[in-house]
Amino acid sequence: MSEATTAYDMAAEVHVTSGQPERRSWHLSRVRALPPGVLIGGGIVSILVIVAIAAPLIAPDDPQAGSLLTRLQGVGTSGHLLGTDGQGRDVLSRLIWGARPSLIAGIVPVAIAGVIGTALGAIAGFGGSRLRTLLMRSLDVLYAFPAILLAIAIGATLGPGLTNVIVSLSVILIPPIARIAESEALRIRSLDFMDAARTSGAGWIRIGLRQVLPNIAPPVIVYCTALVGLAIVYAAGLSFLGLGIVPPQPDWGGTLNDLRNNLFTQPWLSLVPAAAIFIASAAFNILGDGLRELLDVRADRAK
Amino acid sequence: MHRMTRFILRRLLHMVPVLFGVTVVVFVTIKLIPGSPIAGLLGPGSTPATRAELINRLGLNKPIPIQYFDWLRSTLEGNFGTSISFQSSAGTLVFNAFRNTMILAGAALILALVGGFVLGAIGALWPKGMAGRVTSAISTFSLAIPQYSAGLLLIVLFSVDHTWLPSGGMHSVTGSTGFADLLRHLVLPALAAGLAPIGVVARMFRAALLDVMGQEFVQSMRARGLRRTTIIRHAIHNTLPALLTITGLQIGYLLSGVVFIETIFSWPGLGQLVYGAISARDLPLIQAGVLISAVAVVLVNVIVDVAHGFIDPRVRQ
Amino acid sequence: MSTAVAMDERTLGATLTVDDLKVTFANKRQRVEAVRGVTFGIAPGRTLALLGESGSGKSASARAIMHLDNRGVELGGQVRLGDTIVSALSESELQKVRGGLIAMVPQDPTASLDPLRRVGAQIVEVLRVHGIETNRRAARDSAMNLLSRVGIPDPSRVMRAFPHELSGGMRQRAAIAVAVACRPTVLIADEPTTALDVTVQAQVLELFSELQAEVGMSIIMVTHDVGVAREIADYVAVMYAGRLVEIGSVDDVLERPAHPYTAALVDSVPTPETKRGELHVIPGRPPGPGDTPQTGCDFAPRCKFAIASCMTMPPPLVPVGTGHLAACPVVDGLVPAELAGVAV
């Protein structure tokens, strides 16, 4: 069968090996000290979230008020630390305010897809083989689409705006999450304690909440954390293409596109929003790596 | 070869339901359009009678499944609808642009595979050296660098202050159509599209080669007195299945990335076409582009699967 | 000093001598001495069984003979093949010895053959690398001959087959064909029958004897199975915790063991005469690779004959008969006859 074909798998750092991946269980007792990834990644993420919340307090300027007299100031101009864009708007303020929609468009779709994907994966993993095949093959269809192009198709149909970005990103993020959840569910299904729980007369809901969820959750959480990094990149990309938040509201991808038009007059300025996207995305990747270490989840289980 | 033929046929059969699903998804996005799809087609002074007539003519009063099969039939006949902004066949536009996209994506894929192969091999064969650490650092950050950022960075570095390499188009404005000219125009966009995949391929290939090198048959080859270079050659042979899987994974990523790369570098491919279609709300064009891309991904993966069968006799079973 | 010389007059012309062989696995955190000074020799055309439990250092010794050192492995001592000091050779000279003069039959034939190449190609490769055959066609013919000589009924089919298409027994025969392709002087077989069905085991052991008679090579058979040693070996060397505890002819060592460990090992194998409930188990467990070595005899903690001096000084390997050495002072001074029949 055509296996996964998109960037999600790269986010999960799927190791392609010729042997069967070794299966290990994880235990909370393995947690000793916080891995550096959790501290560094978590630290940067916290700062970004605080910046986004405190935007009205810390932004030096109105992000939408520009003056044609102060167009395209370079980085380091007094009064405009990160320069101004083609309409004379303060880039730093636009980035600070832009953190709100950019982070929301990264986190919310992952959360939505996380819930739906986990549910679908668990149903596929614990259901009969027919149901599993039907569900997973349907998701394979979504895999066939280059992620951004599918998001564009949905986004262009629904029109621009933050809500529609969230909808289209949620759709493209469901299949990879469901696949992880399914493989975890299949693994748990084969474990002894499941039999024990069933023979002791526990109901399905009870088993699901008490046994299955706590076991599926860690790998899914680790994966989703790294996926937020990718979703931020995708969301900024959709804005870049004009499918994101409606101008003149600021967000990172839109700011990047604005500054791109002045690439030859202020070349380095355009890299400022790119750097913001990079830092946010890398922070979630690092946090994901750290969580993986913390929860002792093996990456190649995803395959 | 009898077994091989059967294997190929089986893979092709697997493809059918996936392609079917792909068309369903594209059809659903068409149906997602908010509001009445005919509102835009009707002039301001339309009467209920002309309205009913149009609905009837477009088949919009038929049940959804019938509408789907009507749409599928016309799509299979090569009719992808009419582009609103170009007022011409969306299929023709998309096919012509796709050729240019394949040049760009192909170049980026070659870069990613060659670069990733070299970096990954260095990392696996000298795991304690700097190279191993550098490759793993590159790939950790590579995914966080979106293609649009990489593209802008390359333009800033190579095209703004010094016009070392062209930053737009496929050919010089002088109308040169030479291969060398095309290559010069290809360098920056291909690099921008291939940068992240280089890191990803390096990391995956490194893991695959380390895995093979640790297997017992490699030790056995040493016991047979084979030279290190020979052993490495056989080990790399054994990583080819993994490399193929990696290649398959990159296709979707590259076809996503070219939308940005082509926009930034004015590359006249599918991505640029789609970008233009977004602002024009030219939905038939977008749908045709997305459908073609998805079909391309499915086809590439079938090719990858078949190649897998040629390399690894165990897969053919 | 070479204890091998003391084995008996036949080892004077030993093909291969191993003197004070040491293997240490080292990483940043710890060093594990897997083989701690092993000395033996083997005469042309003879078979030596290297007998011991897993972790006793027998496999590590076998690999060290071919100088198959990996990262983090330190080798010590001397390996001599005829006039050549193998342990002093450069890597490129070693490549000629490996597979040419000293060849190896691996434990798991499934894992030891390249899964993506046809069996024939792998045999041809060895023949050509060692310059046995330079012509491709001639190499194919001799590969085919080899396959039929190791008892493969349809060599031309197996030539074209991939390893996964063969049965376990056939695969091991193919692996043996690769090993004997260059008519090695010494063949090292690392548990060659462990992965095989019992019925196939006997056939493969028989094959070793036939090939030995034909090629005249010496065989070092690494095994944990007393039965295998008894069936195929001329000499037996018993290893425990990285040291040789007893060595001698198969009759001496297995019928008249002079070391309590050997005696216990022999006794733990059921025979047709063993009565129900009389299967003997050695109490305790052998020291693992990470355990701190004993200051005295490694077996002392499990040995019912241990005396005070056993705990303080490692006993040297001393002659207990003609060509029969054991590392146990207690038993040497005691009544060997009594030991032979005891359950430890």
Side-chain angles (χ1 to χ4, degrees):
Chain A
M1 188 51 231
S2 324
E3 285 298 338
T5 45
T6 48
Y8 319 115
D9 303 274
M10 293 183 253
E13 287 159 30
V14 176
H15 295 279
V16 182
T17 55
S18 48
Q20 280 294 309
E22 166 196 339
R23 309 222 152 189
R24 252 200 293 168
S25 60
W26 65 279
H27 296 285
L28 270 178
S29 59
R30 292 208 186 174
V31 176
R32 287 195 190 95
L34 284 182
V38 172
L39 295 175
I40 298 170
I44 301 174
V45 167
S46 310
I47 292 171
L48 289 170
V49 170
I50 290 169
V51 164
I53 294 172
L57 301 175
I58 55 178
D61 262 318
D62 182 343
Q64 296 185 30
S67 157
L68 290 180
L69 298 173
T70 54
R71 283 184 77 235
L72 293 171
Q73 305 279 311
V75 173
T77 314
S78 76
H80 300 290
L81 197 60
L82 293 179
T84 56
D85 68 5
Q87 297 176 40
R89 296 174 299 195
D90 182 52
V91 171
L92 178 62
S93 301
R94 286 187 75 74
L95 288 185
I96 290 173
W97 279 95
R100 288 182 166 190
S102 299
L103 290 179
I104 288 172
I107 295 168
V108 176
V110 174
I112 294 172
V115 172
I116 300 175
T118 307
L120 286 177
I123 291 169
F126 281 96
S129 67
R130 284 239 183 100
L131 182 64
R132 174 160 66 246
T133 312
L134 183 72
L135 268 175
M136 296 321 282
R137 289 292 157 271
S138 313
L139 291 173
D140 276 344
V141 168
L142 287 184
Y143 257 115
F145 290 91
I148 278 293
L149 282 168
L150 184 58
I152 288 172
I154 301 170
T157 311
L158 297 178
L162 186 57
T163 318
N164 291 343
V165 169
I166 290 173
V167 170
S168 56
L169 287 184
S170 299
V171 172
I172 65 171
L173 294 177
I174 288 171
I177 295 174
R179 194 173 272 189
I180 304 262
E182 185 232 19
S183 73
E184 284 304 311
L186 282 177
R187 186 179 63 85
I188 293 161
R189 189 188 167 129
S190 66
L191 297 180
D192 291 340
F193 72 81
M194 283 303 297
D195 290 333
R198 233 169 301 165
T199 44
S200 72
W204 278 110
I205 294 171
R206 191 183 160 82
I207 293 176
L209 289 179
R210 300 285 291 270
Q211 317 282 351
V212 178
L213 200 62
N215 278 284
I216 296 186
V220 171
I221 289 171
V222 166
Y223 183 66
C224 284
T225 308
L227 215 50
V228 171
L230 195 65
I232 287 174
V233 167
Y234 281 172
L238 288 178
S239 277
F240 182 85
L241 297 173
L243 283 173
I245 192 164
V246 188
Q249 297 256 341
D251 83 324
W252 294 343
T255 308
L256 183 65
N257 197 29
D258 291 342
L259 294 172
R260 176 174 76 91
N261 296 324
N262 308 107
L263 193 61
F264 284 83
T265 36
Q266 280 291 354
W268 295 101
L269 197 55
S270 67
L271 297 180
V272 171
I277 297 165
F278 170 76
I279 290 168
S281 173
F284 278 99
N285 280 332
I286 294 169
L287 180 61
D289 275 347
L291 284 179
R292 172 176 301 137
E293 209 179 309
L294 183 73
L295 300 174
D296 195 26
V297 175
R298 273 181 65 94
D300 49 9
R301 218 159 46 183
K303 190 72 183 131
Chain B
M1 276 304 104
H2 170 64
R3 186 184 286 162
M4 193 70 215
T5 319
R6 255 194 323 193
F7 168 76
I8 292 173
L9 284 175
R10 210 165 50 230
R11 292 290 120 154
L12 288 173
L13 269 179
H14 269 306
M15 193 174 78
V16 174
V18 178
L19 284 179
F20 175 76
V22 163
T23 58
V24 170
V25 170
V26 172
F27 181 74
V28 167
T29 66
I30 296 171
K31 287 282 142 194
L32 271 180
I33 302 170
S36 164
I38 53 167
L41 294 171
L42 289 167
S46 62
T47 63
T50 53
R51 187 184 163 84
E53 201 251 84
L54 188 65
I55 288 177
N56 199 28
R57 188 153 55 83
L58 293 175
L60 291 172
N61 52 353
K62 293 183 189 168
I64 296 282
I66 304 293
Q67 287 188 40
Y68 165 72
F69 281 110
D70 286 347
W71 172 83
L72 182 63
R73 184 163 2 94
S74 80
T75 303
L76 287 178
E77 284 164 0
N79 177 15
F80 288 75
T82 306
S83 158
I84 294 166
S85 46
F86 290 87
Q87 286 303 316
S88 63
S89 156
T92 316
L93 286 165
V94 162
F95 275 116
N96 289 339
F98 196 64
R99 193 182 57 97
N100 293 339
T101 293
M102 291 219 313
I103 294 174
L104 177 56
L109 184 65
I110 291 169
L111 263 179
L113 288 178
V114 172
F117 182 89
V118 171
L119 286 177
I122 291 171
L125 298 176
W126 295 277
K128 296 212 168 145
M130 271 306 286
R133 287 178 207 153
V134 170
T135 50
S136 92
I138 287 176
S139 41
T140 301
F141 290 108
S142 63
L143 268 177
I145 304 182
Q147 296 101 328
Y148 44 85
S149 302
L152 291 178
L153 183 65
L154 287 176
I155 291 181
V156 169
L157 291 178
F158 292 101
S159 293
V160 172
D161 289 339
H162 330 270
T163 42
W164 284 331
L165 286 165
S167 65
M170 264 181 94
H171 296 287
S172 303
V173 273
T174 52
S176 158
T177 50
F179 185 62
D181 186 53
L182 174 67
L183 272 188
R184 264 169 51 78
H185 284 78
L186 193 54
V187 174
L188 289 185
L191 205 57
L195 203 59
I198 286 178
V200 177
V201 172
R203 190 154 175 166
M204 287 177 152
F205 177 59
R206 176 170 178 260
L209 189 53
L210 277 175
D211 178 64
V212 171
M213 291 295 277
Q215 283 180 25
E216 201 180 313
F217 76 88
V218 173
Q219 299 296 315
S220 289
M221 286 198 258
R222 289 186 67 208
R224 289 179 210 161
L226 303 190
R227 270 188 298 273
R228 185 170 151 85
T229 46
T230 313
I231 294 173
I232 290 173
R233 205 180 68 228
H234 292 321
I236 287 175
H237 179 199
N238 272 273
T239 63
L240 287 184
L243 260 181
L244 272 174
T245 308
I246 296 168
T247 307
L249 290 175
Q250 300 310 310
I251 299 298
Y253 185 75
L254 283 174
L255 285 180
S256 273
V258 291
V259 181
F260 304 108
I261 301 295
E262 290 179 359
T263 304
I264 290 171
F265 290 94
S266 319
W267 189 268
L270 191 64
Q272 208 192 21
L273 202 63
V274 167
Y275 176 71
I278 291 171
S279 46
R281 286 205 32 98
D282 189 347
L283 293 176
L285 195 55
I286 293 178
Q287 278 142 7
V290 170
L291 186 59
I292 292 277
S293 303
V295 171
V297 168
V298 174
L299 285 177
V300 166
N301 277 291
V302 169
I303 294 170
V304 161
D305 277 351
V306 169
H308 206 144
F310 273 105
I311 289 170
D312 192 338
R314 291 166 295 184
V315 175
R316 294 200 286 269
Q317 299 281 301
Chain C
M1 185 222 55
S2 172
T3 357
V5 183
M7 268 180 72
D8 72 355
E9 66 280 3
R10 282 171 297 192
T11 51
L12 281 172
T15 315
L16 179 86
T17 53
V18 171
D19 194 358
D20 200 24
L21 189 71
K22 287 182 176 136
V23 180
T24 309
F25 300 106
N27 64 21
K28 276 179 197 148
R29 268 172 291 145
Q30 56 173 353
R31 293 166 58 82
V32 176
E33 295 179 334
V35 181
R36 302 184 286 163
V38 164
T39 300
F40 60 80
I42 180 164
R46 299 285 173 173
T47 300
L48 171 83
L50 213 50
L51 187 64
E53 292 167 90
S54 53
S56 61
K58 55 191 196 312
S59 288
S61 305
R63 297 178 58 79
I65 292 170
M66 299 182 83
H67 240 247
L68 280 172
D69 52 329
N70 271 321
R71 237 179 232 110
V73 179
E74 294 166 16
L75 299 180
Q78 199 187 61
V79 177
R80 219 168 58 235
L81 181 68
D83 298 330
T84 318
I85 297 172
V86 176
S87 44
L89 294 179
S90 71
E91 184 62 26
S92 63
E93 290 167 323
L94 274 170
Q95 281 164 3
K96 292 189 190 103
V97 172
R98 292 185 197 133
L101 297 172
I102 308 178
M104 196 167 206
V105 175
Q107 177 170 358
D108 182 359
T110 312
S112 77
L113 293 166
D114 186 339
L116 300 192
R117 285 188 299 146
R118 293 174 199 277
V119 170
Q122 302 190 43
I123 304 177
V124 166
E125 178 180 51
V126 174
L127 288 168
R128 291 176 55 131
V129 161
H130 290 286
I132 307 291
E133 298 285 359
T134 42
N135 177 298
R136 194 176 289 268
R137 169 157 289 169
R140 282 196 66 81
D141 291 344
S142 61
M144 199 97 97
N145 272 332
L146 274 163
L147 284 177
S148 61
R149 225 166 55 188
V150 296
I152 286 174
D154 45 355
S156 57
R157 183 187 71 89
V158 172
M159 283 289 283
R160 287 193 313 273
F162 289 98
H164 76 278
E165 296 169 337
L166 303 177
S167 68
M170 284 297 133
R171 267 197 290 257
Q172 187 59 297
R173 285 174 193 274
I176 293 171
V178 173
V180 299
C182 303
R183 296 182 155 257
T185 316
V186 177
L187 184 70
I188 300 171
D190 188 359
E191 305 256 13
T193 56
T194 318
L196 303 178
D197 289 344
V198 185
T199 46
V200 187
Q201 280 184 10
Q203 296 168 12
V204 169
L205 285 182
E206 181 60 33
L207 175 63
F208 275 107
S209 305
E210 286 169 27
L211 289 170
Q212 183 171 46
E214 208 177 310
V215 183
M217 62 197 174
S218 310
I219 295 178
I220 297 176
M221 178 73 62
V222 177
T223 183
H224 67 275
D225 188 335
V226 176
V228 168
R230 186 174 276 138
E231 185 165 335
I232 197 168
D234 300 303
Y235 305 99
V236 175
V238 183
M239 285 190 75
Y240 187 80
R243 284 206 176 97
L244 221 51
V245 294
E246 183 163 4
I247 183 167
S249 73
V250 62
D251 288 344
D252 281 343
V253 174
L254 298 185
E255 304 307 327
R256 293 173 288 282
H259 193 285
Y261 175 65
T262 317
L265 206 59
V266 171
D267 215 37
S268 66
V269 179
T271 62
E273 292 86 52
T274 308
K275 290 196 193 80
R276 184 182 289 267
E278 273 197 356
L279 196 58
H280 300 292
V281 178
I282 311 174
R285 62 174 185 91
D291 295 349
T292 334
Q294 299 288 326
T295 41
C297 172
D298 297 293
F299 189 59
R302 303 169 75 189
C303 179
K304 67 181 260 190
F305 297 99
I307 54 172
S309 73
C310 291
M311 302 295 182
T312 52
M313 226 182 67
L317 210 54
V318 291
V320 290
T322 316
H324 185 187
L325 299 91
C328 186
V330 183
V331 173
D332 189 33
L334 285 173
V335 226
E338 182 195 319
L339 184 71
V342 294
V344 181

